[in-house]
Amino acid sequence: MNLFNNTGILYIVPTPIGNLSDITYRALKTLQEVDIIACENIQHTNILLKHFNIKNILISFNKNNEIEQSSYLIKKLKKGKTIALVSNAGTPVINDPGYLLIKQCHIFNIKIVPLPGPCAAITALSASGISSDRFCYEGFLPSKKKTRCDLLYSLRKEKRTMIFYESKYRIIDTITDIINEIGKNRHIVIAREITKKWEMIYSNKAEIILSWIKEDQNRYNKGENVVIIDGYQEPKKVNISENIKNTFSILRSVLSLKQSVLLTSKIHKMNKNNLYKYAIKKEEK
Ligand code: SAM
């Protein structure tokens, strides 16, 4: 059985996210050899091709014409043509057009060949110093404040590392919203202008990042950003022994909650915050 019906091939070709030297040999060879390059912006891709001395046919493929152009490209692929899909920067489809075309290739048994290459999210994650064992990619946060805050709030207990894309226009608002909805002490990383001249990777608690970024307008009014948020970590459970609980109960029968916590923690030489949490829970019952 011929799995691919002898059709053409759709190559998914990542392109640099800033530094043209990040193009791969295979990407160049593919861009040179395919019949058509479908690109987000013809002018933009022309600059890339010119730099590498490649001449080929370019057709526009962007979020405004994706549906019509997908049908057109599928017809070409069915006739045996080879097509390279590129976006302005990075890996096509990752917050860039292409998913509808690829879905149709699967439906029509058209062979898809993805090339590995630059992607801002993964490059930033690799340098973040935040665990990458489990992560989720959230793309761009909503532009409306309320929707953005609601989404961040819904992610406050997400245990996986979270990756977002953010523009220079909203980076301060986004960090402020992270502080309000997730917490000022949550560890975050801002990766700006990766692979470019003003590349900067800054890692700290959200509130410290906010004051740092506000200090100098060059830190927020230029460039592209990836924001990485450390996943939620369950607070460590502290076991309160029966002995401590008894002391607390006796003191509480004659003293205020605050005084009982303070005295019990002194008697047993323990952290008063942990005891306070226990006391609050007990009072609520
Ligand atoms: N497909 C691309 C990829 O694979 O990364 C992403 C395209 S998305 C439309 C553009 C966003 O990616 C930017 O707004 C920014 O958040 C992020 N980005 C792209 N290049 C970047 C860079 N050099 N440094 C930091 N972030 C970048």
Side-chain angles (χ1 to χ4, degrees):
M1 186 184 131
N2 176 4
L3 190 60
F4 293 113
N5 296 335
N6 288 329
T7 59
I9 300 174
L10 177 72
Y11 293 91
I12 303 169
V13 183
T15 53
I17 55 169
N19 188 329
L20 290 183
S21 307
D22 291 331
I23 194 99
T24 66
Y25 288 122
R26 193 170 167 218
L28 291 177
K29 192 168 180 288
T30 307
L31 293 174
Q32 178 77 68
E33 290 177 0
V34 287
D35 296 312
I36 303 168
I37 300 174
C39 60
E40 212 182 343
N41 181 304
I42 291 184
Q43 254 184 327
H44 194 101
T45 302
N46 251 328
I47 297 172
L48 180 82
L49 296 189
K50 215 171 163 190
H51 182 87
F52 291 106
N53 224 354
I54 294 174
K55 287 198 179 79
N56 209 333
I57 299 165
L58 296 180
I59 74 151
S60 148
F61 184 87
N62 55 49
K63 62 176 190 297
N64 301 318
N65 66 14
E66 192 175 359
I67 297 175
E68 312 90 81
Q69 290 297 69
S70 291
S71 318
Y72 172 78
L73 292 173
I74 290 290
K75 278 186 203 144
K76 294 278 177 198
L77 287 160
K78 280 181 175 171
K79 285 183 183 161
K81 299 282 183 201
T82 53
I83 296 171
L85 175 67
V86 301
S87 61
N88 283 346
T91 302
V93 185
I94 309 300
N95 264 102
D96 275 333
Y99 138 82
L100 288 174
L101 172 64
I102 288 156
K103 194 173 170 182
Q104 287 191 51
C105 286
H106 281 286
I107 293 170
F108 294 111
N109 272 350
I110 293 165
K111 187 172 179 179
I112 302 159
V113 176
L115 272 60
C119 173
I122 299 299
T123 312
L125 179 66
S126 72
S128 69
I130 292 183
S131 164
S132 55
D133 290 348
R134 295 182 70 217
F135 61 88
C136 58
Y137 170 72
E138 289 281 333
F140 286 98
L141 279 161
S143 55
K144 280 195 183 141
K145 187 170 176 66
K146 165 97 175 59
T147 331
R148 186 167 66 239
C149 287
D150 287 351
L151 180 74
L152 284 169
Y153 183 75
S154 75
L155 290 169
R156 73 198 184 286
K157 295 217 165 154
E158 171 59 64
K159 289 183 178 156
R160 293 170 297 175
T161 296
M162 291 157 269
I163 308 176
F164 302 85
Y165 282 164
E166 193 49 279
S167 78
K168 59 186 174 191
Y169 304 108
R170 271 202 309 268
I171 187 72
I172 289 197
D173 287 350
T174 290
I175 303 172
T176 308
D177 295 339
I178 291 172
I179 292 173
N180 293 334
E181 305 303 329
I182 295 187
K184 62 183 178 154
N185 290 325
R186 186 66 72 89
H187 204 102
I188 68 171
V189 170
I190 307 291
R192 258 188 68 211
E193 294 288 89
I194 312 166
T195 77
K196 300 185 199 173
K197 187 175 177 189
W198 304 108
E199 178 179 272
M200 191 264 337
I201 295 159
Y202 193 62
S203 151
N204 217 317
K205 288 179 182 178
E207 68 169 351
I208 295 173
I209 296 238
L210 183 62
S211 22
W212 176 85
I213 213 163
K214 278 180 171 174
E215 266 167 28
D216 177 352
Q217 59 172 0
N218 287 319
R219 292 178 188 160
Y220 58 83
N221 71 358
K222 286 193 194 107
E224 303 184 280
N225 302 282
V226 179
V227 179
I228 301 186
I229 308 182
D230 199 2
Y232 172 75
Q233 282 164 20
E234 293 277 1
K236 282 189 191 121
K237 278 205 175 128
V238 181
N239 277 337
I240 313 262
S241 71
E242 286 307 310
N243 197 9
I244 297 172
K245 286 181 186 169
N246 278 340
T247 313
F248 175 77
S249 292
I250 294 164
L251 292 171
R252 182 69 184 109
S253 60
V254 287
L255 295 171
S256 74
L257 183 108
K258 206 173 160 187
Q259 287 170 322
S260 318
V261 167
L262 209 69
L263 269 178
T264 311
S265 66
K266 281 208 168 131
I267 293 166
H268 290 281
K269 293 190 179 60
M270 69 174 293
N271 180 309
K272 70 174 188 304
N273 292 335
N274 291 335
L275 192 57
Y276 199 71
K277 278 182 204 149
Y278 160 78
I280 298 271
K281 265 196 191 157
K282 191 171 154 63
E283 300 274 311
E284 282 170 359
K285 278 182 188 165

